[in-house]
Amino acid sequence: MENQIFGILKKYWGHKSFRPLQEDIIESILEGNDTLALLPTGGGKSICFQVPAMVMEGVCLVISPLIALMNDQVQNLRKRGITAFAITNAKSKREIDVALDNAVHGALKFVYVSPERIKSQLFKERLKRMKVSMVAVDEAHCISEWGHDFRPAYREIIELRSLLPKPTPFVALTATATEDVIDDIINKLDLNSTRIYKKSFTRENLIYVVQEEGHKLNRMVSAIKNLRGSGIIYVSTRRETLRQAHLLRANGIGALPYHGGMSTKDRQETQTMWIANKAQVVVATNAFGMGIDKPDVRFVIHVDLPSGLEAYFQEAGRAGRDGKKAYAICLVNDEDRKNLEDRVRQQIPVKAEIKKVYRALVNHYQLATGIASEDNKVFDLKAFAKRFNLNPTNTVHCLKALEREGILSLSDAIFNPSRVHVLMNTKELYSFEIGHPKLEPLIRVLLRSYEGLFDHPTKVDEMAIARRLKSNYGEVKSQLEYLAELRVITFQAHTDLPFITFSSNRIKVDDLKLNDELLKAHKKRLEDKMMAVLRYTQNDVICRSRQLVAYFDDYSAEDCGRCDVCLARKKTKPAEGKQFESYKLIKEEIAKEPRTLGYLNRLPGVKSAEVSSTLRWMADNKEIIVSSSNVVSLKS
Ligand code: ADP
């Protein structure tokens, strides 16, 4: 068996050896165990299920949260000569039908499924006849409200348990490892006597730095020029990606913006330029990164604070995947701390707002209530918000609240090609052509170029049609629209907007009951996460790397010796002279009762910098303990 998995690794992936834990995880799966793999970003999670799936008989089902991520992995497998397909809301019923048939007949090795598709009748029916080797749940933290990317539809995955024969192993993979999340994954997936593999979250080659900074642009420019190499700058709004990229370019740095509102083409272009090192820096919102695998990123700079440490760890972790020295820098000032609080407050919509958005959705899509068939609707946030006079950001958070309530689910935005379905039979079409000679060439090219037009909506490419007709894109598109108007065809123009899937049990607006507990718990979680970020930026006593991995319940880490805290500590001399006065004052204060770092930093008579260096010395000499909530107490 050992030889076999090495053979597969080499043959399909061209790698010479496994990375730490990969082999153990693969063996656990091959022994038929439910397995939980906790590997930091870049640890090589995909191979952990893809290699054993190649050994096992049958098709491997992979659940993944983002359509873009699924498409990426499917392409990656196909490039290696492995058969794979992604079932997402962006695919037509017919395409899914054919793919599921292929899976039943053993012609597919991997089927990626978005979680909301699991419920569909079509999928369930075929699943019964499929030989499934295992179920891989990628980004498994999405099942947990404690994770940073909660996807309520992940709760559907458990249904697979009852649909599949008993010994089908489940493997859950994630780069998040807090106890809460692990417990949730195990419970919600009903992982039986799971083998858990957890790689230390310490990233030896990453140097974490937090810098209090009023003039971020100057600092950023000098850091980028000093560090050289490729980097990512994270900001919190779409507008800022454009502004900061512009400012960096004005300072001679090749920077391009990236955010979820850009067209797929523009996003692709930014990504390609950056990966090919033709643009040094991408200035991005958190929409950038998942599924992107660039090994030589030398720095990740956060200009705005992230809303949780899980997100921070993942974003910062995109630096140095090649194992060479890299920096994760966080530039912060008090205004940012306040902005973060405002941003988090915005993510907690009130009931009335959520109801208003639901009412608008029902109007917008003319939704009938009661039991309806599940379907996907293209969702144009800008147009929707404008039509109903809503704030777009608030609207997104209301949609997420509705998603948590199980009323709908929202996909990510990906490119979805145009589709044409001919509504006439051949004879009718022929007489139509005679009556409309101008449209005849287009109809001819359509019929000659695409199969299945009469049976189902079929992907077409307006540019390719235009080339054949020696015409142009605009002309082809307007002729297709005209044909649709005349009801000769249906024409769905290509889009890169996300989809909304409404659950089949449609609730009337007035009957919409929002769960108070759910709303309250959501609020608390967001606030807890925000506090953890604020504490990380305020705690300049404990090694940054240790603070971060402790957040993931890993307390075994040593001081990294290279972060801003560790470097400052080396410079600190033992308490003596003038510093001794500060030391005495601080010690007396803590002796009265445990105090927060914030409180100690505001002690009258001592400069904040002196408080920090004294506390570092005291922590180093084991005189004090700093808790995870930044409370300092004397060590007894
Ligand atoms: P993760 O999902 O954990 O972030 P990926 O599965 O995307 O990581 O893998 C990250 C990168 O590491 C990919 O480029 C992958 O090809 C590479 N990789 C994974 N395993 C190995 C290995 N055993 N040897 C060499 N490269 C590997």
Side-chain angles (χ1 to χ4, degrees):
M1 188 64 88
E2 204 180 309
N3 277 343
Q4 198 179 2
I5 62 173
F6 272 102
I8 285 172
L9 182 73
K10 214 160 162 201
K11 176 171 169 203
Y12 291 99
W13 280 272
H15 301 323
K16 287 191 240 28
S17 58
F18 286 107
R19 290 208 178 135
L21 290 191
Q22 283 181 329
E23 205 179 341
D24 306 278
I25 295 166
I26 291 169
E27 272 167 12
S28 162
I29 297 169
L30 289 176
E31 282 166 18
N33 301 308
D34 282 349
T35 305
L36 177 55
L38 310 160
L39 301 181
T41 307
K45 283 182 283 297
S46 326
I47 276 176
C48 294
F49 65 88
Q50 288 170 344
V51 168
M54 294 302 288
V55 176
M56 292 156 89
E57 212 186 304
V59 52
C60 171
L61 290 184
V62 190
I63 320 294
S64 180
L66 291 181
I67 301 178
L69 207 60
M70 284 190 246
N71 289 345
D72 237 36
Q73 293 221 358
V74 165
Q75 265 174 25
N76 213 312
L77 287 166
R78 286 186 183 160
K79 219 167 58 193
R80 301 173 197 285
I82 301 168
T83 49
F85 185 83
I87 298 179
T88 68
N89 287 346
K91 298 273 165 71
S92 73
K93 262 208 168 92
R94 166 83 191 162
E95 283 170 284
I96 295 176
D97 205 22
V98 172
L100 286 173
D101 255 354
N102 285 337
V104 168
H105 296 122
L108 276 179
K109 199 68 210 167
F110 291 90
V111 172
Y112 283 72
V113 196
S114 57
E116 54 277 2
R117 289 282 97 191
I118 295 172
K119 277 193 301 205
S120 85
Q121 214 44 43
L122 181 66
F123 179 74
K124 280 187 185 168
E125 282 306 315
R126 298 300 167 85
L127 189 63
K128 280 187 209 150
R129 291 191 278 134
M130 230 180 265
K131 165 119 190 72
V132 174
S133 58
M134 70 160 124
V135 177
V137 183
D138 206 3
E139 312 288 351
H141 59 273
C142 292
I143 208 166
S144 170
E145 288 166 76
W146 295 102
H148 56 290
D149 273 324
F150 177 47
R151 286 287 305 271
Y154 258 56
R155 300 273 163 95
E156 311 292 339
I157 301 174
I158 187 90
E159 276 215 37
L160 290 173
R161 284 272 187 209
S162 54
L163 297 169
L164 292 169
K166 265 280 156 294
T168 313
F170 272 53
V171 49
L173 308 107
T174 175
T176 312
T178 54
E179 297 286 343
D180 295 331
V181 175
I182 295 178
D183 287 350
D184 241 7
I185 294 174
I186 293 176
N187 291 330
K188 304 268 159 44
L189 287 178
D190 192 16
L191 296 180
N192 301 310
S193 55
T194 320
R195 298 274 184 90
I196 302 180
Y197 296 90
K198 180 172 169 180
K199 190 165 179 271
S200 160
F201 275 58
T202 305
R203 291 277 310 270
E204 309 280 349
N205 61 319
L206 255 197
I207 301 173
Y208 298 100
V209 178
V210 175
Q211 231 157 28
E212 287 286 332
E213 189 56 69
H215 302 284
K216 294 188 184 178
L217 180 66
N218 292 348
R219 175 69 71 168
M220 230 177 356
V221 171
S222 67
I224 295 171
K225 289 190 171 160
N226 271 332
L227 298 174
R228 301 213 183 97
S230 194
I232 310 173
I233 313 279
Y234 278 110
V235 293
S236 62
T237 63
R238 293 173 172 186
R239 201 179 324 125
E240 276 300 288
T241 62
L242 305 176
R243 200 177 76 86
Q244 300 278 0
H246 176 77
L247 288 172
L248 287 175
R249 280 200 302 275
N251 279 279
I253 290 165
L256 291 176
Y258 184 108
H259 62 72
M262 281 162 51
S263 71
T264 309
K265 186 169 151 279
D266 289 347
R267 275 184 289 153
Q268 203 78 47
E269 230 166 69
T270 293
Q271 201 172 310
T272 313
M273 293 275 285
W274 180 70
I275 288 184
N277 290 326
K278 287 187 181 140
Q280 186 186 3
V281 171
V282 177
V283 185
T285 59
N286 60 5
F288 182 75
M290 226 196 226
I292 289 173
D293 177 26
K294 182 166 165 56
D296 58 346
V297 178
R298 294 277 67 85
F299 56 89
V300 170
I301 303 177
H302 279 75
V303 174
D304 290 329
L305 290 173
S307 40
L309 283 184
E310 295 91 342
Y312 181 68
F313 187 76
Q314 199 137 43
E315 286 159 12
R318 299 200 169 108
R321 288 174 81 152
D322 55 8
K324 294 185 187 148
K325 185 162 123 179
Y327 286 83
I329 301 171
C330 190
L331 300 178
V332 62
N333 55 43
D334 282 338
E335 202 182 318
D336 297 322
R337 297 191 173 96
K338 194 171 161 316
N339 286 344
L340 175 62
E341 283 173 30
D342 291 344
R343 236 164 63 216
V344 168
R345 202 163 310 126
Q346 244 195 353
Q347 291 174 32
I348 310 172
V350 295
K351 270 187 179 177
E353 284 176 317
I354 304 172
K355 284 200 169 168
K356 193 169 157 194
V357 167
Y358 185 60
R359 187 181 296 277
L361 282 173
V362 169
N363 277 335
H364 190 55
Y365 292 115
Q366 300 284 305
L367 292 180
T369 48
I371 301 287
S373 77
E374 227 180 63
D375 58 346
N376 313 313
K377 316 241 181 234
V378 171
F379 181 65
D380 183 342
L381 174 64
K382 247 193 232 159
F384 176 76
K386 192 159 171 219
R387 178 173 173 199
F388 294 95
N389 202 14
L390 299 164
N391 170 303
T393 313
N394 272 347
T395 303
V396 169
H397 293 300
C398 290
L399 289 173
K400 289 192 173 163
L402 290 165
E403 195 171 30
R404 285 193 295 276
E405 299 269 350
I407 287 165
L408 53 83
S409 67
L410 194 61
S411 82
D412 48 325
I414 55 137
F415 180 74
N416 197 27
S418 303
R419 284 182 161 86
V420 167
H421 185 184
V422 178
L423 300 172
M424 292 177 162
N425 62 31
T426 335
K427 219 161 134 200
E428 287 164 342
L429 197 59
Y430 183 65
S431 27
F432 176 85
E433 281 174 66
I434 293 172
H436 299 80
K438 266 194 161 164
L439 294 168
E440 194 209 317
L442 172 65
I443 295 174
R444 280 288 132 102
V445 167
L446 274 175
L447 296 185
R448 237 180 288 139
S449 315
Y450 301 100
E451 267 178 52
L453 285 168
F454 290 96
D455 306 327
H456 51 82
T458 303
K459 279 188 225 166
V460 299
D461 176 352
E462 292 94 330
M463 281 305 286
I465 298 172
R467 275 197 298 276
R468 290 198 167 182
L469 287 173
K470 300 205 168 33
S471 167
N472 60 52
Y473 172 84
E475 182 61 26
V476 170
K477 184 163 182 254
S478 71
Q479 286 197 357
L480 286 168
E481 280 166 352
Y482 185 49
L483 282 173
E485 236 177 82
L486 298 175
R487 304 206 176 280
V488 178
I489 61 168
T490 62
F491 172 57
Q492 189 195 327
H494 64 80
T495 171
D496 42 25
L497 295 169
F499 293 87
I500 286 190
T501 312
F502 291 93
S503 83
S504 44
N505 192 8
R506 305 268 169 78
I507 299 165
K508 277 195 212 142
V509 178
D510 293 330
D511 293 345
L512 180 69
K513 289 200 179 45
L514 296 162
N515 184 335
D516 280 322
E517 289 306 308
L518 218 61
L519 289 169
K520 244 194 261 162
H522 176 63
K523 179 166 184 277
K524 171 146 186 0
R525 262 190 309 277
L526 290 182
E527 286 169 351
D528 286 352
K529 280 181 192 188
M530 173 183 79
M531 286 311 295
V533 172
L534 294 180
R535 284 190 207 113
Y536 174 72
T537 66
Q538 280 159 347
N539 185 342
D540 54 4
V541 177
I542 305 290
C543 162
R544 300 279 175 209
S545 169
R546 273 179 58 195
Q547 284 187 55
L548 277 176
V549 301
Y551 183 76
F552 295 102
D553 297 306
D554 177 351
Y555 301 101
S556 62
E558 309 260 318
D559 284 347
C560 74
R562 301 204 281 188
C563 68
D564 60 308
V565 179
C566 286
L567 288 186
R569 177 182 297 129
K570 277 182 188 161
K571 290 177 203 150
T572 313
K573 292 201 183 78
E576 62 186 17
K578 199 172 140 218
Q579 265 215 349
F580 190 64
E581 291 303 310
S582 321
Y583 167 74
K584 249 182 21 191
L585 202 77
I586 291 167
K587 193 165 178 175
E588 271 167 28
E589 201 55 45
I590 308 171
K592 282 185 217 157
E593 61 180 299
R595 299 289 192 190
T596 63
L597 284 176
Y599 178 93
L600 293 170
N601 270 311
R602 289 190 300 271
L603 267 188
V606 198
K607 280 193 196 134
S608 164
E610 231 166 84
V611 174
S612 297
S613 62
T614 308
L615 288 174
R616 273 195 292 271
W617 186 88
M618 292 173 82
D620 229 16
N621 287 278
K622 313 241 176 317
E623 288 194 8
I624 53 169
I625 296 172
V626 186
S627 78
S628 63
S629 47
N630 283 3
V631 175
V632 185
S633 51
L634 282 185
K635 203 162 178 177
S636 46

